[in-house]
Amino acid sequence: MLFLALRHLLSRKRQSLLTLVGILLGTAAYIAISGMMLGFQTFIIDQLINNDAHVRISAREDVITEHSLDADFFGQDALVHWLTPPAGRRDNAYILYPRAWTDRMESSPEVSAYAEQMIAQAIVSRAKVSTAARVIGVDPTKQIQVTNIQSYMTKGSFLDIGMSGNRILVGDGLLNKLGATVPETLMLSVGKGVAQSFKVVGSFHLGVKNADDTLIYGALTDIQTLNATPSRVSDIAVRLTNVEDAGSLASSWNILSQEKVQSWDQANEGIMSVFTTQDIVRNSMTISILIVAGFGIYNILSMAVNQKRREIAILRSMGYEAKDIVTLFLAQGLLLGAVGGLVGCLVGYGVCEVMARIPVANRGMGGNHMTIVFFPGIYGRGFLLAFLSAGFASFLPARAAGKLSPIEVIRGENS
Amino acid sequence: MGIELKDIKKSFGTPPTQVIRGISLNIELGEFVSFVGRSGCGKSTLLYIMSTLDEPTSGQVMIDGKEVTTLEQSELHLFRNLQMGFVFQFHHLLPELSAIENILMPAMKAKRSGERRPYAISLMEEFGLKDRLDHLPSQLSGGEQQRVAIARALVMEPKYLFADEPTGNLDSANGNGVMSLFKRVNKERRMSVIFVTHDTEFSKMATRRIEMSDGLLVS
Ligand SMILES: Nc1ncnc2c1ncn2[C@@H]1O[C@H](COP(=O)(O)OP(=O)(O)OP(=O)(O)O)[C@@H](O)[C@H]1O
Ligand SMILES: [Mg+2]
């Protein structure tokens, strides 16, 4: 029946072509939009994962509430009513037993690397200009195993920080704000301590404005000294062998400890929910295009079934069965779906190729072009969407054709 | 063997009106039978019933000793495909297919189109359509189309050929051509030919002429 189905389609060239174009556009749009949106998501996720950590363990910022001191002062069972309830925050946040964590890291097979960090808010100043900065003290050899910072360096190497010696790396946005250049000395001060001078030995550009405008990396011991918290650690950044484990691992660690453990996606919930919205928009748009194309198929097939009543009847009288007739029309819809889906994939691929060449300013390591995803799954899904919607659309007319009673038709024609 | 009808009745609609009111009839293999009668007397209805396209309201249709209502759908399809040919007043050719492809459609269903092709071509030659093999139906005259339809009915060399006013749409020359074709296949291939006609001349060409009136046999 396939060859007859093909002949039917070819005998209605214009209709078939129009329907084909509908399916093709739906598929191509799905692929192009998916490629672009997923590319954008991949880019952002890349930034989120690689610039920070798969999992971050940080000291809990303990806020004191009305009853959090009751037990310390009055014992477990006391019912306390404060005239002036206590409020405030506990002293500098740090991880109480970093050793316990590092032991756990060493024994966890999922962990590929980790780095202790001391993160402090500081004021950085050069001559009369000063601004706020987020200073991260790290062991550079450990840090470059946790993040890809090394490949975002615009000047110098991440290892130039060394283990001590007041050398720092500064985000290029921050350098600009200060009007500073690379071999230069800046003053850093943390709230209570005295200002210390640090030598800028390199700069980086992560492509995330917020980070590039505020981040400073220094050696762990230097920053601990600056912050007047020697040998304390505020965070541990962890890299996993498999990013997918981040969420579940973070959740299970979170229960085990009093520190706050967050995976990269938990930390960026807002962004992740934007992605979900994007996915919904992308899918619903594609589905609506395909519904329109599906209605096209439904229409032309319904019309064809009506026009071909006599031929259906004569085929039946020749011994063709109802299921042959169903196949005849279903095959037409599926052919349109398959060809439209296939060509749509190709067109979508072409559009993606073109989009991938669109230059986008300064994106750090991702190159200076739009990130487009060419994941085969997108193409598979695009094709399947086209094929299945065509199948659904042709199912009803095909079934109607199969149910057509040949004798009714013949009687109507030859009376 | 042959076709055996036992007290066939057929009614249509609500309230039911009887169109065939009790017909019993035997048609032997190799007979050449014409059905005649006034318009509306039930000729077509009877033809469709004896050719398994329609079902009687009551009564039995036996073909080759088998009762049609006891046959499985698939057996029935096979039977129509291999043992029966139909020719209607309108040719009902598939407009997308060439003459030869149309003729081979029954063979295609039986997956024997390769094997039947030489025979199909010889039929076309016999019917004077030798140089029309790849013409589309729209490129053929009415008479040529009807001959293609007859060739299609014959391509599987069936035992039975049913025709409902095969000449109804043709001029007398073409009509004569069709009738002599029928006569030939009946004689040369011993095919049972059963046809309905309004034309008294044509009906006389049959070896057996059955007249109907108001849902009953006259003779
Ligand atoms: N589906 C139907 N519903 C109701 N009545 C029908 C139906 N089909 C046929 N009839 C009636 O049955 C009667 C016989 O019809 P049939 O087609 O067998 O006549 P016919 O002898 O072939 O006539 P003609 O020579 O005009 O073709 C007619 O009166 C017709 O109106
Ligand atoms: Mg009739």
Side-chain angles (χ1 to χ4, degrees):
Chain A
M1 292 319 276
L2 205 64
F3 107 101
L4 190 57
L6 209 63
R7 290 293 181 83
H8 274 185
L9 286 177
L10 291 178
S11 74
R12 303 184 304 261
K13 282 198 187 67
R14 244 221 336 240
Q15 280 181 336
S16 306
L17 206 68
L18 276 175
T19 320
L20 209 61
V21 168
I23 300 169
L24 188 154
L25 284 183
T27 318
Y30 176 79
I31 284 166
I33 293 168
S34 296
M36 193 177 70
M37 284 191 174
L38 291 181
F40 171 71
Q41 294 180 7
T42 315
F43 173 74
I44 297 291
I45 288 173
D46 234 44
Q47 301 273 316
L48 293 178
I49 294 179
N50 295 331
N51 296 343
D52 194 7
H54 292 176
V55 176
R56 171 170 290 281
I57 299 154
S58 43
R60 206 174 279 283
E61 292 193 343
D62 213 355
V63 179
I64 295 170
T65 59
E66 183 170 358
H67 294 290
S68 51
L69 298 177
D70 292 3
D72 294 336
F73 282 105
F74 306 103
Q76 283 295 338
D77 305 318
L79 180 68
V80 183
H81 177 73
W82 294 87
L83 288 178
T84 313
R89 230 182 75 175
R90 288 190 203 264
D91 196 13
N92 227 337
Y94 55 90
I95 294 176
L96 279 181
Y97 306 109
R99 269 312 290 272
W101 277 112
T102 52
D103 287 348
R104 186 176 290 155
M105 298 295 150
E106 297 292 349
S107 63
S108 298
E110 300 96 331
V111 175
S112 82
Y114 65 91
E116 296 96 335
Q117 301 179 333
M118 180 68 228
I119 300 182
Q121 303 300 328
I123 303 290
V124 54
S125 44
R126 173 186 183 264
K128 282 185 176 162
V129 191
S130 60
T131 180
R134 184 174 160 84
V135 187
I136 306 179
V138 293
D139 174 341
T141 52
K142 282 183 163 183
Q143 180 66 21
I144 58 172
Q145 289 181 302
V146 173
T147 71
N148 290 345
I149 181 87
Q150 182 71 289
S151 40
Y152 291 88
M153 300 302 296
T154 49
K155 286 213 178 80
S157 156
F158 197 79
L159 294 172
D160 292 346
I161 299 173
M163 295 308 285
S164 66
N166 279 15
R167 290 185 288 253
I168 53 172
L169 301 169
V170 184
D172 62 350
L174 184 53
L175 274 186
N176 273 347
K177 257 205 281 191
L178 295 166
T181 52
V182 166
E184 190 163 336
T185 303
L186 298 175
M187 299 301 288
L188 284 182
S189 67
V190 170
K192 48 196 179 258
V194 280
Q196 295 183 13
S197 63
F198 283 81
K199 185 165 181 228
V200 183
V201 293
S203 66
F204 53 85
H205 177 83
L206 297 173
V208 181
K209 188 166 167 42
N210 194 25
D212 292 333
D213 281 0
T214 57
L215 275 191
I216 293 177
Y217 279 98
L220 182 58
T221 47
D222 293 346
I223 306 304
Q224 285 168 338
T225 314
L226 175 72
N227 198 38
T229 49
S231 72
R232 293 233 158 122
V233 169
S234 70
D235 293 69
I236 301 174
V238 185
R239 187 181 188 92
L240 304 178
T241 325
N242 191 353
V243 196
E244 263 93 74
D245 296 336
S248 57
L249 203 65
S251 303
S252 66
W253 281 352
N254 215 358
I255 299 167
L256 290 176
S257 65
Q258 50 175 307
E259 273 77 35
K260 188 168 87 179
V261 186
Q262 269 193 322
S263 63
W264 65 275
D265 49 340
Q266 290 163 350
N268 297 290
E269 242 172 326
I271 294 175
M272 298 317 278
S273 76
V274 170
F275 290 170
T276 314
T277 318
Q278 269 189 349
D279 286 344
I280 293 172
V281 170
R282 169 168 66 101
N283 288 328
S284 51
M285 213 175 81
T286 315
I287 287 169
S288 52
I289 295 177
L290 286 174
I291 285 177
V292 173
F295 266 111
I297 294 183
Y298 176 83
N299 264 331
I300 66 163
L301 281 185
S302 297
M303 251 155 58
V305 169
N306 246 324
Q307 280 171 7
K308 301 275 175 202
R309 286 161 58 90
R310 289 164 153 217
E311 288 147 49
I312 293 168
I314 197 77
L315 282 172
R316 295 295 302 272
S317 80
M318 278 180 222
Y320 281 87
E321 292 154 64
K323 66 167 197 274
D324 294 322
I325 306 298
V326 173
T327 312
L328 171 64
F329 288 94
L330 204 58
Q332 295 183 38
L334 292 180
L335 267 172
L336 285 176
V339 174
L342 216 64
V343 180
C345 282
L346 290 179
V347 171
Y349 177 78
V351 173
C352 284
E353 275 289 342
V354 170
M355 284 196 300
R357 302 218 172 108
I358 297 175
V360 179
N362 277 345
R363 275 200 158 177
M365 186 187 63
N368 291 333
H369 293 285
M370 222 153 127
T371 315
I372 302 289
V373 169
F374 290 95
F375 177 55
I378 297 176
Y379 293 81
R381 205 173 310 162
F383 178 80
L384 220 62
L385 261 171
F387 191 68
L388 290 183
S389 64
F392 273 123
S394 42
F395 177 72
L396 285 181
R399 202 180 56 166
K403 279 192 178 155
L404 211 67
S405 147
I407 182 65
E408 304 277 344
V409 177
I410 292 168
R411 215 189 269 134
E413 302 281 334
N414 291 12
S415 39
Chain B
M1 288 294 145
I3 299 173
E4 204 180 330
L5 304 181
K6 280 189 197 154
D7 196 24
I8 298 295
K9 289 179 182 154
K10 177 76 177 179
S11 345
F12 285 114
T14 42
T17 46
Q18 250 185 12
V19 173
I20 305 291
R21 303 190 297 157
I23 289 181
S24 298
L25 179 68
N26 278 355
I27 296 172
E28 300 297 326
L29 262 183
E31 273 197 278
F32 190 9
V33 185
S34 68
F35 280 86
V36 292
R38 291 245 304 275
S39 177
C41 68
K43 305 180 295 291
S44 298
T45 309
L46 188 66
L47 187 80
Y48 298 145
I49 288 173
M50 72 172 94
S51 61
T52 75
L53 286 179
D54 206 355
E55 288 169 359
T57 311
S58 71
Q60 277 187 327
V61 182
M62 313 271 288
I63 297 181
D64 291 350
K66 276 183 229 159
E67 214 210 303
V68 170
T69 48
T70 64
L71 290 177
E72 295 282 327
Q73 276 298 308
S74 55
E75 276 180 279
L76 203 58
H77 284 123
L78 204 65
F79 199 79
R80 279 187 206 147
N81 187 224
L82 300 179
Q83 309 288 8
M84 292 180 173
F86 291 93
V87 180
F88 301 100
Q89 182 175 355
F90 297 93
H91 58 78
H92 293 312
L93 296 177
L94 307 185
E96 299 85 9
L97 303 185
S98 68
I100 184 78
E101 286 169 331
N102 262 294
I103 294 174
L104 283 169
M105 275 315 280
M108 191 101 73
K109 169 63 188 168
K111 299 202 166 58
R112 285 164 54 188
S113 56
E115 172 205 321
R116 301 309 294 176
R117 197 180 164 87
Y119 183 62
I121 293 173
S122 75
L123 278 175
M124 288 194 77
E125 281 170 2
E126 206 174 321
F127 293 180
L129 296 165
K130 202 175 151 197
D131 48 357
R132 299 280 192 278
L133 250 62
D134 295 318
H135 282 54
L136 293 176
S138 56
Q139 298 163 331
L140 297 172
S141 76
E144 287 169 336
Q145 290 174 357
Q146 193 63 304
R147 275 177 278 163
V148 170
I150 294 169
R152 176 176 64 188
L154 298 177
V155 75
M156 299 308 285
E157 300 189 80
K159 278 190 207 158
Y160 304 96
L161 179 66
F162 297 98
D164 192 358
E165 298 182 39
T167 57
N169 257 2
L170 301 177
D171 62 17
S172 62
N174 272 311
N176 275 320
V178 167
M179 284 317 296
S180 53
L181 275 175
F182 278 12
K183 209 166 172 174
R184 275 233 317 271
V185 294
N186 172 251
K187 251 204 182 122
E188 291 169 12
R189 305 182 199 281
R190 293 204 17 83
M191 196 178 287
S192 321
V193 177
I194 298 141
F195 70 101
V196 170
T197 185
H198 275 128
D199 192 302
T200 32
E201 287 299 311
F202 291 152
S203 74
K204 282 176 189 157
M205 291 169 81
T207 52
R208 181 173 167 199
R209 186 169 173 275
I210 297 174
E211 199 177 327
M212 284 179 66
S213 171
D214 210 8
L216 290 170
L217 298 186
V218 173
S219 48

